[in-house]
Amino acid sequence: MTVKNIAYAIGKALGGVKVLKYLARNHPRILMYHRIRATAEGDGIHVDVFRQQMEILARDFNVVSLEELLHLANNNQPLPQHAVVITFDDGYEDFYLNAFPVLQALSLPTTVFVTTGFVSNETWLWPDKIKYMLSESQIGTLFVPELNTTFTLKTDKLRAWHSIADYCLTIPNKQKNPFINDLAIKLSVTLPFSAPDMYKALSWDQVKEMSANGIDIGSHSVTHPVMTKLELTDLRDELENSKRIIEQMLNKPVTGFCFPNGLSEDINEEVQGEINRAGYQYALAAFPTLNPLAERLAIGRYPAHPDISEFEKIVYGFRLQRLSN
Ligand SMILES: [Zn+2]
């Protein structure tokens, strides 16, 4: 336990959580989730932990939809106190299998931002491709000239994945796919055209069913590129085509965009101008801000956490105090 965690545990025991929660009452906490798993090991948050988190929200907070919160803010109406918003990125099938039943049982509104090319089975997410290739490869060492690094794959797969994925975030999108295809050759792995089961997307039928049952759907682009690394025509295609296909599939307007990767370096005014031009009313970032609704095209969110005490720090306002310092 770190000193900060001890301080949190003591504060919690003394009723400090109530004070923090009160201090944070006007700060909407917008949560960002990705994957919910039912297996002991794997990516994301285990469904039992997720259920526990959702039960805390249902008991102690005002869970509102993002659309409702923005509607109130746009009309200068007071926001509900202790508001929490649930969002999911990417569009993995495990949302439908594991998260949706929990959210439905507790009647918690949620917005899911789908990568439309992924849901349409035209691509799968590139960080998963790298993870898959590294896990399937039987070769001993991998030299990556772009990183001037040799990885010993028996012991270094995770480090290799982090380094290679980080490198991919820095290069123009046009270079990324050839780089990944070249990596597959070096690793002697054949990349399947569609995502293997563990990286599988939602289907449009699942998206339609959820949209008809209280889940809002927004766009997370077509292919999940870093938007600031795109040429203008590709940037427009990613924004317009993803919006259009969701609207065609669901027969509902799409007003929200969620930045792939979504860190401050992945957001700029040019992209925000194009988001506006494509007809979106808001866009979501992947980091928390003191006043999350202040910038409608970079709304602040808290990354969700698999650890319950870290989750409590976010929702009860402990993290807000640290943001303010
Ligand atoms: Zn994403």
Side-chain angles (χ1 to χ4, degrees), residues 22 172 234 283:
Y22 177 77
D234 294 334

Side-chain angles (χ1 to χ4, degrees), residues 197-208:
D197 276 355
M198 68 182 301
Y199 302 116
K200 205 172 161 194
L202 292 163
S203 68
W204 284 114
D205 280 346
Q206 290 166 338
V207 174
K208 284 178 191 171

Side-chain angles (χ1 to χ4, degrees), residues 233-272:
T233 48
D234 294 334
L235 175 59
R236 288 183 174 169
D237 282 350
E238 291 281 345
L239 292 166
E240 291 165 8
N241 294 345
S242 57
K243 187 174 192 292
R244 188 175 58 241
I245 187 160
I246 301 170
E247 288 177 342
Q248 278 170 359
M249 287 291 179
L250 303 181
N251 219 2
K252 285 180 189 173
V254 168
T255 53
F257 181 75
C258 173
F259 282 94
N261 215 48
L263 300 180
S264 58
E265 63 266 30
D266 308 318
I267 298 171
N268 64 24
E269 281 183 12
E270 188 205 351
V271 176
Q272 288 174 315

Side-chain angles (χ1 to χ4, degrees), residues 89-90 220 224:
D89 290 8
D90 297 335
H220 196 37
H224 207 275

